[in-house]
Amino acid sequence: MKKVLIPFFALLLVFGCLEAKTPVRKAVEARHGMVVSAEGLASRVGRDILKQGGNAVDAAVATGFALAVTFPQAGNIGGGGYMVIRMANGTTTSIDYREKAPGKASRDMYLDSTGRFISERSEQGYLSIGVPGSVAGLLDALSKYGTMKREQVLAPAIALAERGFPVGASLARVLNEKIDELNCFGGTKRAFTKKGKPYKKGETFVQKDLAETLKRISAHGKQGFYEGKTARLIVKEMKLGGGLIALDDLKNYSAIERPPVTGTYRGYSIVSMGPSSSGGIILLELLNMLELYDVAGSGFGTPQNISLMAEAMKLAYADRAEFLGDPEFYPVPISTLISKEYAAERSKLIDTMKATPASAIAHGTIPTAEGTHTTHYSVVDKWGNAVSTTTTINSWFGSGVVVSGAGFFLNNEMDDFSAKPGTPNQFGLIGGTANAIQPNKRMLSAMTPTIVLKDKKPVLVVGSPGGSTIITTVLQVILNVIDHRMNVQDAVDALRVHDQWYPDSLYYEHASLSAGVVDQLKKRGYAPAERPGHQGEVEAIAVDGTKKLLYGAADPRGHGVAAGY
Ligand code: DON
């Protein structure tokens, strides 16, 4: 099989890049309900479910299954994700449907006999695949917090797969460019070409096998995926390429409902995703540190503002590498990491006038007493229920492996484990024991689906793809709204920066910083590095309780659509 990994930033280059400084469009306004996702047909599926009387969870689940059809580069049933839910009655919860390592996985499975990390094995093909969680997560959310029947929320996705939909420009481009690389034992070509010929823009894309898989899920629920024909097809596909997923891995998979991590920032409440994602914890640690500084007074996009964020980011990502992993396998010190006291201590290391080299930063000290290509969509309904979901198959088109006869891509999420301590994964992230590979363990994620509340009511629903940059992307949208007083569309459009400790670089989006600002950052000791493309692709909703209006903001860096009514 050829190399299937599509480097994230290279794809961003393919899609073109945005001068993020210039806001290009206004948020979509609606009174009753809003769905913002990376693809228009899927956003409209969710919006129609809201119109039919469904709540935000019904709409989110319908959107999720629709994205698996219309946005196969990242929407999925072969991957996993996280959902943060705030019900209008005050219930706040989260569902962890992250993939798991197969039972036959082992710590050194990506090392050769000399101990060298073979990244191709964790990034592409059969060995890179984790046990998928999306179907369990979406269906658990529906049965616990939705109001509609499974058949009703799956019907639009089935229709889109069975009857087809017109291929958009970006899907046509990506599929045609990548189809040969993505082809594993013929399954991909069968599912993603028109009788062997690439789809052209505007042609109808029918996915019969996927429609049948979705029908089995509709009829039998989780068993329609994790047992029976779909499970057998997955295991058969594994045997073609030496994959590890067995029938028992599928049968034993379950999504986990967990309390989300929560904190405060300048009078707002932040509700975000806890482990097995690092997203919520690192977001809260960053916000707690930044709350101690005059972020608004530093001015958006100034050297002072950027270096303040960068110094905080390095400290938080050093903690991520040391302390974050699947909480079922590693005692993540959650309460310390999200405490104001810890942030106060940690922020003493921040000197905004002088960049601290990554090598001079280590993780913080935790008191021993304490034990214990991605896509985002946001939904708010007329009752004030809110759902923030990020889901992924990791790289665009995941492992590149399509389950023959079942019509969907499998993830390459195993690369999110720390395969060898200190050796970076495809996002340059490093880690150690906390995130080492173990059978049945969830690999660490950066996904950060988040809901911001004011006076107990949602005011912002936000999340993004972007690998390691997801957390800093969500952070900056929140700072833009709360500190820089931007409206939600400007907050999403605005330029972003990113520093993840290692590699020791301060990244900024293509053409987004002036030469003067770059010069001043260099004088402070940074090595600013221009990203060839952009950072993240946010889909956000702001709620104005006074005007009783919802504002849907899709990120102009992608092709997302806000659909409200
Ligand atoms: O869970 C994570 O952190 C990564 N697998 C997310 C990958 C991602 O965002 C790729 N991008 N667009």
Side-chain angles (χ1 to χ4, degrees):
M1 192 183 70
K2 291 191 205 163
K3 174 128 178 112
V4 295
L5 177 75
I6 306 166
F8 182 60
F9 300 120
L11 258 162
L12 297 181
L13 195 60
V14 171
F15 289 136
C17 44
L18 171 94
E19 293 245 2
K21 266 192 286 191
T22 320
V24 290
R25 48 183 179 177
K26 285 196 143 186
V28 171
E29 286 183 26
R31 288 219 164 265
H32 306 289
M34 180 74 72
V35 179
V36 191
S37 86
E39 198 284 320
L41 291 164
S43 295
R44 285 177 206 112
V45 161
R47 189 260 329 264
D48 291 347
I49 289 282
L50 292 177
K51 274 183 161 177
Q52 289 161 26
N55 71 8
V57 177
D58 298 320
V61 174
T63 303
F65 281 115
L67 283 167
V69 180
T70 62
F71 195 66
Q73 49 282 52
N76 68 80
I77 54 173
Y82 300 95
M83 184 179 284
V84 172
I85 301 173
R86 167 77 179 186
M87 301 301 285
N89 66 9
T91 303
T92 302
T93 190
S94 67
I95 297 179
D96 174 343
Y97 55 97
R98 180 69 159 167
E99 300 92 325
K100 288 170 78 165
K104 290 202 200 89
S106 55
R107 198 193 61 184
D108 296 337
M109 63 188 275
Y110 302 119
L111 308 187
D112 68 11
S113 53
T114 65
R116 201 166 57 95
F117 172 46
I118 313 294
S119 62
E120 287 81 6
R121 288 192 201 153
S122 73
E123 289 177 7
Q124 65 193 52
Y126 291 81
L127 274 185
S128 70
I129 304 167
V131 183
S134 293
V135 173
L138 292 175
L139 294 187
D140 279 3
L142 183 70
S143 62
K144 290 182 179 169
Y145 297 98
T147 63
M148 285 181 159
K149 286 200 177 347
R150 196 168 64 223
E151 294 80 353
Q152 203 172 349
V153 296
L154 269 145
I158 294 171
L160 283 163
E162 195 157 49
R163 291 186 217 140
F165 61 92
V167 174
S170 74
L171 180 57
R173 188 168 53 232
V174 183
L175 276 180
N176 294 341
E177 275 167 13
K178 298 292 160 194
I179 196 72
D180 285 327
E181 292 178 30
L182 290 169
N183 198 31
C184 297
F185 298 100
T188 312
K189 268 207 167 138
R190 190 168 120 89
F192 290 94
T193 60
K194 200 174 178 182
K195 298 198 178 100
K197 293 214 176 75
Y199 277 101
K200 294 197 193 79
K201 181 180 171 234
E203 282 184 334
T204 304
F205 180 25
V206 173
Q207 299 173 77
K208 289 271 183 230
D209 288 343
L210 179 58
E212 293 309 311
T213 303
L214 292 169
K215 281 184 201 169
R216 288 192 288 277
I217 297 169
S218 175
H220 307 294
K222 287 186 265 183
Q223 289 179 338
F225 184 87
Y226 292 98
E227 296 178 47
K229 184 169 178 184
T230 317
R232 285 198 300 276
L233 287 170
I234 294 173
V235 171
K236 191 172 160 201
E237 186 67 40
M238 291 297 111
K239 291 197 173 129
L240 286 177
L244 300 184
I245 298 175
L247 284 174
D248 273 352
D249 289 321
L250 293 163
K251 197 171 171 191
N252 295 334
Y253 183 88
S254 49
I256 304 179
E257 182 170 9
R258 307 178 188 275
V261 289
T262 55
T264 59
Y265 182 69
R266 302 195 203 282
Y268 291 80
S269 302
I270 312 292
V271 182
S272 193
M273 194 65 222
S276 58
S277 182
S278 61
I281 288 183
I282 300 305
L283 175 68
L284 289 173
E285 183 180 346
L286 282 164
L287 288 170
N288 286 339
M289 285 192 270
L290 292 171
E291 197 177 38
L292 303 168
Y293 295 82
D294 183 7
V295 173
S298 69
F300 176 81
T302 61
Q304 176 64 10
N305 178 244
I306 293 171
S307 46
L308 173 59
M309 290 194 293
E311 291 305 291
M313 287 172 187
K314 277 184 272 193
L315 292 167
Y317 273 73
D319 284 344
R320 181 192 190 277
E322 179 67 18
F323 297 121
L324 270 295
D326 182 345
E328 316 283 319
F329 286 77
Y330 186 86
V332 181
I334 301 179
S335 55
T336 299
L337 289 172
I338 65 174
S339 71
K340 299 278 183 200
E341 295 74 26
Y342 181 74
E345 200 50 44
R346 202 88 176 106
S347 64
K348 285 182 187 155
L349 299 171
I350 293 178
D351 175 356
T352 56
M353 292 315 291
K354 196 168 159 294
T356 315
S359 56
I361 289 176
H363 58 80
T365 312
I366 300 290
T368 46
E370 193 175 342
T372 67
H373 200 71
T374 309
T375 190
H376 179 85
Y377 47 102
S378 297
V379 184
V380 175
D381 67 21
K382 64 181 173 191
W383 298 283
N385 301 307
V387 177
S388 185
T389 306
T390 315
T391 181
T392 189
I393 44 176
N394 203 13
S395 305
W396 286 63
F397 300 108
S399 60
V401 176
V402 165
V403 180
S404 305
F408 61 90
F409 277 109
L410 288 163
N411 65 83
N412 60 338
E413 223 71 64
M414 290 294 285
D415 187 57
D416 277 348
F417 276 118
S418 175
K420 183 177 178 183
T423 304
N425 74 352
Q426 65 168 302
F427 299 109
L429 288 168
I430 53 177
T433 313
N435 188 33
I437 306 172
Q438 285 175 261
N440 302 312
K441 182 176 177 182
R442 282 164 155 83
M443 55 297 283
L444 185 61
S445 173
M447 289 188 273
T448 315
T450 298
I451 300 176
V452 179
L453 310 171
K454 180 83 183 167
D455 302 327
K456 302 195 172 153
K457 299 252 189 290
V459 290
L460 181 68
V461 184
V462 58
S464 178
S468 57
T469 68
I470 293 174
I471 309 169
T472 57
T473 296
V474 171
L475 169 79
Q476 287 164 85
V477 175
I478 294 175
L479 298 180
N480 290 346
V481 169
I482 296 180
D483 292 291
H484 300 300
R485 302 259 155 219
M486 294 184 197
N487 68 49
V488 66
Q489 189 69 63
D490 289 353
V492 168
D493 293 357
L495 71 92
R496 297 178 191 133
V497 298
H498 175 74
D499 195 321
Q500 61 181 50
W501 181 42
Y502 280 107
D504 194 0
S505 281
L506 169 57
Y507 293 95
Y508 62 98
E509 291 181 299
H510 174 72
S512 64
L513 291 184
S514 69
V517 171
V518 171
D519 263 3
Q520 288 195 49
L521 287 168
K522 282 185 185 156
K523 284 195 186 116
R524 290 176 188 221
Y526 291 95
E530 182 169 332
R531 218 178 253 299
H534 58 240
Q535 177 180 329
E537 190 184 322
V538 172
E539 318 295 347
I541 301 175
V543 185
D544 185 328
T546 318
K547 290 189 188 149
K548 304 231 177 308
L549 274 179
L550 303 170
Y551 296 92
D555 198 327
R557 293 164 178 81
H559 303 271
V561 169
Y565 80 104

